[in-house]
Structures are given as C-alpha cells and as structure tokens.
C-alpha cells in the first residue's frame, strides 16, 4: 500500500512540474501567432486568396500548359506570411543608422504554404507592382523556411519573456540567402537568423541574438565595401580578406618591438653616460 502511495505521489509531482512549462509553451505560441497574423490584413488575405484560386483554376483547365504559372494545386491561406525585403547592403545600412527601421521598409512579398507539382511542401510568392498584387512564383520549401514553431522555440530557448515582445517581423535577404526574424521589445531589438546553409552566416541557425551582436558578427565575416566597389559580384557578398588582419597584426608587433628596443637603448645609453660621469 505504501509503495502504491509513493508511486501515485511521484506521478502527481511530475505532473505539477510539467504544467508550468506547458502553460508557458501555450502562452508563447498564442502570442507569436497573434503578432505574426496581425502583419497580414483581412483585405490582403482576400486579395491573395483570389489570385491563388485563379492560379489553381489555370492548372485544372489548361493541364499545366503554361509551365510554372500552372503548377499550383492548392494553398493554405491560413499560413500566409508577410516577408520584408532587406537592403542589399544590410550591414552597411545598419551601421550607418543602427535602428531596425533602416532594415525594414514597406517593400515586401507574401509567402503562402502550398501544394504544387514541385512538392507538397511548397511556398507561393505574391509580389506587388505599381500597388497591384500578382502571382510571382512557386518554390520548394527549404529547411531555412520560417515557421511559427521555429520562432517560438528560439524565443523560449533565448529566455525572452513573451510579455516583453512588441513586434515580430519576418524578412529575407536574397544576397545572404537567409531569412531573418526581427523581434522588438521596448529595450532591445533581437533577431533570429535562418540561413540556407548552417555555417554560412557565422551565427547559429534559429538562435535568438541581439541585433547589434549579429550585425557585428556578420560584419567581421563579410566585406560589403568590396561589394560596393564591384557591382558585378552581386551573386554574393565577398568574405573579408584574413591577410588584412594578419598584416595589421604584423605591423602592430613590429611597432611594439621597435619601441621596446628604443627604450632599452635609451636606458643602456643613460647607464653608460652615468658610468662615464663617475669616472671623470
């Protein structure tokens, strides 16, 4: 009997321990969903839905005769994300004006989860031109694609209280081949990077960073000034030349060594002068 009571009490204790964490997960998830959903208005949802239904109609009636414009089979309008386009030279823009507003403008696209001839896990993009929305393509979803679940996980692992969050905005840099999720609070701006390749940016995928820290890390790896000088290299941002830092270190060591030798020479000459003076 005593053994059964101990087992029951142990199970009850474990249940109590798990409850706060579950409550926190639910709270964070609800807040993230609410903030991200608010980025897309009902009017935008309605417009996008009409465009995508037309594309699905084309696919049915023309049997994929128009290639990529007829590949959409179905879409999930409830999984619509507004994605802001980042400046090409995003590091330079931030260094010149270290605010989140220097990176996020009104330039954006909408990405919607879909089922297409490419893959069941596809995304559809809706862009704008002269104020009009239009269907701009379908792509297969990659591991770098952002989901609410990934954002919630990063926020919780980073220890950021959900009550402190004001805004969450998703952005993409074509030149860095990465998504970035910007999380703003009253005191600090944070960012969660999702690069196409794990080791590409020099930061950990899906980890919460302060925006300052991530920009500094990336700026230590990529040389946007070299990109400005060579516009033809817009396929990617050149890496910083490590030899520049090596040369700087060599010059520093040489200067310090020279100063040490100079000081020693002065001391020795002074001692020699004092000895000569005593002899006289």
């Amino acid at each position: 009997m005593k053994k059964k009571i101990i087992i029951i009490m142990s199970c009850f204790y474990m249940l109590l321990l798990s409850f706060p964490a579950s409550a926190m997960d639910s709270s964070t998830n609800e807040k993230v969903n609410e903030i991200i959903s608010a980025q897309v208005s009902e009017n935008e949802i309605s417009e996008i839905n009409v465009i995508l239904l037309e594309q699905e109609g084309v696919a049915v009636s023309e049997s994929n005769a128009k290639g990529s414009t007829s590949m959409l089979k179905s879409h999930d309008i409830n999984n619509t994300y507004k994605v802001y386009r980042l400046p090409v030279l995003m590091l330079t823009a931030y260094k010149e004006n270290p605010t989140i507003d220097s990176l996020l403008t009104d330039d954006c696209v909408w990405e919607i989860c879909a089922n297409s001839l490419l893959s069941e896990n596809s995304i559809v993009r809706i862009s704008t031109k002269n104020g009009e929305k239009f269907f701009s393509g379908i792509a297969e979803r990659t591991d770098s694609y952002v989901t609410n679940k990934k954002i919630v996980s990063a926020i919780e692992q980073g220890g950021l209280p959900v009550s402190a969050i004001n805004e969450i905005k998703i952005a993409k840099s074509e030149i860095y081949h990465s998504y970035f999720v910007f999380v703003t609070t009253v005191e600090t701006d944070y960012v969660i990077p999702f690069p196409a390749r794990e080791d590409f940016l020099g930061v950990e995928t899906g980890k919460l960073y302060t925006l300052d820290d991530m920009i500094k890390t990336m700026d230590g790896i990529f040389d946007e000034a070299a990109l400005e000088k060579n516009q033809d290299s817009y396929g990617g941002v050149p890496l910083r030349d490590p030899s520049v830092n090596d040369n700087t270190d060599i010059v520093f060591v040489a200067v310090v060594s020279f100063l040490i030798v100079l000081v020693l020479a002065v001391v020795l000459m002074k001692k020699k002068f004092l000895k000569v003076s005593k002899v006289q």
Side-chain angles (χ1 to χ4, degrees), residues 173-188:
S173 169
E174 297 294 344
I175 202 164
Y176 285 105
H177 311 291
S178 304
Y179 286 93
F180 297 91
V181 178
F182 295 92
V183 182
T184 61
T185 68
V186 173
E187 296 181 353
T188 311

Side-chain angles (χ1 to χ4, degrees), residues 178-243:
S178 304
Y179 286 93
F180 297 91
V181 178
F182 295 92
V183 182
T184 61
T185 68
V186 173
E187 296 181 353
T188 311
D189 291 330
Y190 296 91
V191 63
I192 309 166
F194 292 97
R197 203 178 69 208
E198 179 71 30
D199 59 344
F200 183 65
L201 299 179
V203 291
E204 188 176 333
T205 299
K207 181 178 178 180
L208 187 72
Y209 292 88
T210 64
L211 183 52
D212 282 342
D213 285 347
M214 194 201 69
I215 293 293
K216 286 176 184 175
T217 300
M218 289 181 63
D219 190 48
I221 298 171
F222 300 100
D223 187 0
E224 287 191 350
L227 186 61
E228 284 186 280
K229 294 173 184 175
N230 183 10
Q231 301 287 319
D232 295 332
S233 64
Y234 266 18
V237 184
L239 299 177
R240 290 198 180 278
D241 186 355
S243 65

Side-chain angles (χ1 to χ4, degrees), residues 31-150:
K31 182 69 181 281
V32 168
N33 288 343
E34 178 186 331
I35 294 173
I36 292 177
S37 297
Q39 294 289 319
V40 187
S41 69
E42 290 184 11
N43 286 339
E44 289 172 335
I45 288 289
S46 179
E47 289 179 279
I48 290 167
N49 202 35
V50 168
I51 294 169
L52 295 184
L53 287 173
E54 287 177 356
Q55 288 298 319
E56 290 170 17
V58 169
V60 172
S61 64
E62 300 189 11
S63 303
N64 200 36
K66 291 188 177 181
S68 62
T69 61
S70 310
M71 295 180 72
L72 182 62
K73 295 167 70 176
S74 63
H75 68 280
D76 182 3
I77 197 64
N78 293 319
N79 272 317
T80 299
Y81 294 88
K82 181 177 280 190
V83 180
Y84 295 84
R85 287 193 179 105
L86 290 169
V88 173
L89 303 178
M90 58 176 281
L91 305 182
T92 303
Y94 186 79
K95 287 191 294 182
E96 290 175 353
N97 180 19
T99 65
I100 201 167
D101 292 335
S102 66
L103 299 176
L104 300 178
T105 65
D106 293 332
D107 188 12
C108 64
V109 298
W110 291 263
E111 294 188 347
I112 305 94
C113 295
N115 178 11
S116 76
L117 296 179
L118 279 176
S119 167
E120 291 183 358
N121 293 314
S122 298
I123 56 169
V124 181
R125 290 192 177 92
I126 301 293
S127 303
T128 57
K129 186 175 182 181
N130 299 325
E132 294 291 326
K133 294 181 180 62
F134 66 95
F135 174 82
S136 58
I138 300 174
E140 190 170 359
R141 248 186 292 175
T142 63
D143 291 339
S144 64
Y145 187 74
V146 178
T147 63
N148 289 11
K149 186 176 179 180
K150 290 180 180 180

